[in-house]
Amino acid sequence: MKTLIPSWIRVPVIFFFIFGVVEFFIDSGDKPAFIEYPAVLLFLFLVLLILIAIEAIVGALENVMLHKLDEAARAKFLAESEKKYEFTWLKNIYKKLLGQKPLEEEGEIILDHNYDGIKELDNSLPPWWLYGFYISIVFAALYLLKYHVFDGDNQIDELEIELAEAKTAIEAYKKTAKNLVDINTVTKLTETSDLSAGKKIFDTNCVACHMIDGGGGIGPNLTDQNWILGGGIKNVFRTVSEGGRSGKGMIAWKQQLKPLEIAQVASYVLTLQGTSPANPKAPEGDVWVEAENTEEAQ
């Protein structure tokens, strides 16, 4: 290893390989693991120090070994090392890709004509160019068959497919992203955490008009089966978000509350149905029976 790759290449390669492995196995979210977890940064720093220390020790041992050799052996060893550092395998690949004859064999391919002492070599096309040309022919044939014979998806078709997939993905994301809920996607929340948050919002903003138990005061009674603007989660969500009747209903809360908060308080309000408030206000509006109403009240 020492004689094939110089240390200034070997150490960074090994370090970043270890860094990549750490990042792969540690789920740190959006931030890199070494930022999210200080212990990882310390570990990587120690790894770097160990790699540098190993290189220093190997270098020192090599120097000790060189000093034990006689001058001729030392010169031979250094010459061989320098030769290996030249990456001869890379040079050989480069020469094969060019496809040129060695300088000493160029006499075999010199053309007869001569222009003012300038002679021309009859070199073959470079293999890289020739293979690339053959690949382009194969690609063109496959392209012709797929898109002009078998009517493969063109760019417009692919765009429409991607748009449909994106729309499906957005709808699926909206179902899991509660804070993107709207009147069309809202559903009644039943988790304890959501109802507790809804109760807190209700106690902070709604008790002045509806009382702490929902029995009603300035606002209507929320515990009976009558609703002025329709019951059900969608209607209650719309009423809280957009406000009540113009000029005499409650204000719109969409500027003060997030969509998730509106869904939480609307769900909590529905849990008050059928409870027994201390001083219930007389019913207002129409009776709302969920099972018999397939369309939301306007």
Side-chain angles (χ1 to χ4, degrees):
M1 190 74 174
K2 178 67 176 175
T3 57
L4 292 177
I5 303 175
S7 59
W8 60 271
I9 294 179
R10 183 169 57 252
V11 170
V13 168
I14 296 175
F15 174 77
F16 282 109
F17 174 78
I18 296 174
F19 176 83
V21 171
V22 171
E23 285 290 337
F24 179 79
F25 284 102
I26 297 180
D27 184 11
S28 56
D30 296 332
K31 296 181 180 179
F34 70 91
I35 294 179
E36 190 73 16
Y37 306 105
V40 174
L41 179 61
L42 178 61
F43 169 75
L44 293 174
F45 180 71
L46 291 175
V47 168
L48 182 60
L49 289 181
I50 291 172
L51 291 174
I52 295 174
I54 291 174
E55 290 296 325
I57 293 171
V58 172
L61 292 175
E62 189 176 86
N63 289 331
V64 171
M65 182 189 70
L66 286 175
H67 282 90
K68 291 182 178 180
L69 298 175
D70 56 38
E71 187 173 344
R74 187 183 304 117
K76 182 180 179 181
F77 177 81
L78 292 175
E80 291 178 352
S81 298
E82 290 178 1
K83 186 177 181 180
K84 290 179 179 179
Y85 281 134
E86 291 176 356
F87 299 100
T88 53
W89 59 273
L90 187 59
K91 291 183 179 179
N92 291 334
I93 293 175
Y94 176 72
K95 289 179 180 179
K96 288 180 180 179
L97 288 175
L98 289 180
Q100 294 178 338
K101 281 187 172 293
L103 186 62
E104 57 272 12
E105 298 178 11
E106 285 185 350
E108 301 175 4
I109 56 173
I110 293 179
L111 296 176
D112 294 336
H113 49 266
N114 187 322
Y115 300 95
D116 296 330
I118 301 174
K119 297 181 180 181
E120 185 179 359
L121 298 178
D122 188 18
N123 277 316
S124 300
L125 289 171
W128 67 266
W129 189 96
L130 199 60
Y131 296 149
F133 179 66
Y134 292 152
I135 292 171
S136 67
I137 293 175
V138 174
F139 175 81
L142 295 176
Y143 187 93
L144 177 67
L145 290 173
K146 180 176 181 179
Y147 293 104
H148 296 279
V149 177
F150 298 108
D151 295 327
D153 295 334
N154 56 32
Q155 291 179 329
I156 295 177
D157 296 331
E158 291 177 354
L159 176 62
E160 291 176 350
I161 292 172
E162 290 179 0
L163 288 175
E165 292 175 349
K167 184 177 180 180
T168 302
I170 291 172
E171 294 301 323
Y173 175 72
K174 284 183 176 180
K175 291 180 181 179
T176 58
K178 293 182 178 180
N179 222 17
L180 294 179
V181 67
D182 58 23
I183 185 61
N184 298 312
T185 60
V186 65
T187 57
K188 184 178 179 180
L189 304 176
T190 57
E191 294 183 8
T192 304
S193 58
D194 288 322
L195 296 178
S196 297
K199 183 179 186 307
K200 184 176 180 180
I201 296 170
F202 183 88
D203 293 344
T204 302
N205 302 290
C206 308
V207 295
C209 296
H210 297 284
M211 300 298 150
I212 191 67
D213 53 9
I218 299 175
N221 184 350
L222 301 176
T223 65
D224 56 33
Q225 298 299 317
N226 292 60
W227 294 89
I228 298 173
L229 296 175
I233 185 62
K234 292 185 181 295
N235 283 315
V236 177
F237 182 94
R238 180 193 294 116
T239 303
V240 176
S241 175
E242 305 300 326
R245 294 164 295 175
S246 177
K248 54 182 177 180
M250 74 174 184
I251 64 170
W253 288 93
K254 61 184 178 181
Q255 301 299 329
Q256 289 89 344
L257 300 176
K258 297 178 181 179
L260 173 59
E261 293 174 328
I262 296 176
Q264 289 171 334
V265 71
S267 298
Y268 172 73
V269 166
L270 293 177
T271 66
L272 298 176
Q273 294 280 283
T275 60
S276 301
N279 297 297
K281 189 176 179 181
E284 299 177 73
D286 301 320
V287 174
W288 174 271
V289 181
E290 189 78 28
E292 296 179 1
N293 289 274
T294 57
E295 294 184 0
E296 299 293 336
Q298 301 297 321

